[in-house]
Amino acid sequence: MSGMSTSTQIIEPTDALLVVDPQNDFLPGGTLAVPEGNRIFEPVNSLMPKFGYVVASRDWHPRNHAFFQANGGPWPWHCLAGTPGAEFSSLLRAEQIDEIVDKGTDPQTDGYSAFAGTDLAQRLRARGIRRVFIAGIATDYCVKSTTIDAVEAGFQAIVLTDAIAAINATPGDEQRAFDAMREHGVQFVESRALMPNAEAS
Ligand code: VGL
Ligand code: ZN
């Protein structure tokens, strides 16, 4: 895969880990379940302690969100703000998260990107973050949008290929998402290639 790095990368203090939407409704048993969704947790849980700054996003919709089928949109109910389906999975070591960013709160816009309508870019800049490593769900929606927006906001974006999962509603969606991200200069790496900085604790 072009853009896929297999050589070791050292995790720097200017790196952030961003875990996109590790929420019950996107996992097996949820209302918008991604079949392979649980694959993200082993790599995510082992990576979180290696980063100095870990952010997790939550899809956090009001009932009147235009993208629900009940309101004329494409999606079944999912991640209604404050409901059990919107909570982080119990498989996630949530105590390792430094900050949470809620998105999808505007009823009129899709809210796929963790940068859309949030202060995430400012928070990252305030910390001196330059590279954002991205894991989570779903590859073909929120991971894709978040990753491309990270690049547009001036960050280097690197997707963790073993820590994402796709909806693939239409066959090929996952591949098209990879192609779109690559065209925007996104890089790809397997989480086992990431090494903690010896000086970080
Ligand atoms: C997502 C569809 C609708 C995602 C969120 O997290 O990828 N997909 N809302
Ligand atoms: Zn949503």
Side-chain angles (χ1 to χ4, degrees):
M1 187 194 296
S2 117
M4 174 84 176
S5 170
T6 47
S7 57
T8 301
Q9 293 201 32
I10 308 291
I11 300 169
E12 306 289 346
T14 49
D15 292 338
L17 176 64
L18 174 53
V19 187
V20 176
D21 303 1
Q23 294 163 280
N24 291 325
D25 273 342
F26 294 128
L27 298 165
T31 58
L32 182 44
V34 177
E36 304 265 288
N38 285 336
R39 79 192 286 262
I40 74 169
F41 292 107
E42 192 185 314
V44 164
N45 287 333
S46 81
L47 279 175
M48 287 195 290
K50 299 175 183 165
F51 278 82
Y53 186 45
V54 179
V55 182
S57 67
R58 293 192 298 200
D59 213 29
W60 202 249
H61 295 310
R63 291 191 77 85
N64 65 344
H65 198 261
F67 284 68
F68 286 132
Q69 284 160 359
N71 304 323
W75 303 114
W77 296 114
H78 65 275
C79 299
L80 284 166
T83 63
E87 285 172 13
F88 289 138
S89 167
S90 60
L91 298 174
L92 181 73
R93 300 224 181 101
E95 74 280 0
Q96 302 276 352
I97 298 167
D98 295 304
E99 289 188 31
I100 295 171
V101 56
D102 289 338
K103 65 184 186 60
T105 57
D106 168 24
Q108 296 306 325
T109 53
D110 63 45
Y112 295 153
S113 167
F115 289 91
T118 73
D119 63 354
L120 177 58
Q122 293 94 305
R123 290 200 220 179
L124 294 170
R125 284 188 202 112
R127 295 240 174 190
I129 298 298
R130 299 158 69 137
R131 294 196 298 187
V132 183
F133 288 82
I134 296 164
I137 308 168
T139 309
D140 33 358
Y141 290 93
C142 291
V143 169
K144 179 182 79 171
S145 291
T146 297
T147 301
I148 290 172
D149 277 1
V151 173
E152 314 242 283
F155 301 99
Q156 206 179 321
I158 304 164
V159 167
L160 297 159
T161 52
D162 54 325
I164 55 175
I167 297 177
N168 254 331
T170 305
D173 280 355
E174 180 176 37
Q175 189 55 50
R176 282 186 287 276
F178 273 101
D179 294 344
M181 290 189 279
R182 194 176 297 108
E183 279 163 23
H184 281 81
V186 172
Q187 292 170 282
F188 301 88
V189 70
E190 280 182 45
S191 55
R192 66 190 164 96
L194 298 190
M195 298 296 151
N197 185 321
E199 278 151 56
S201 59

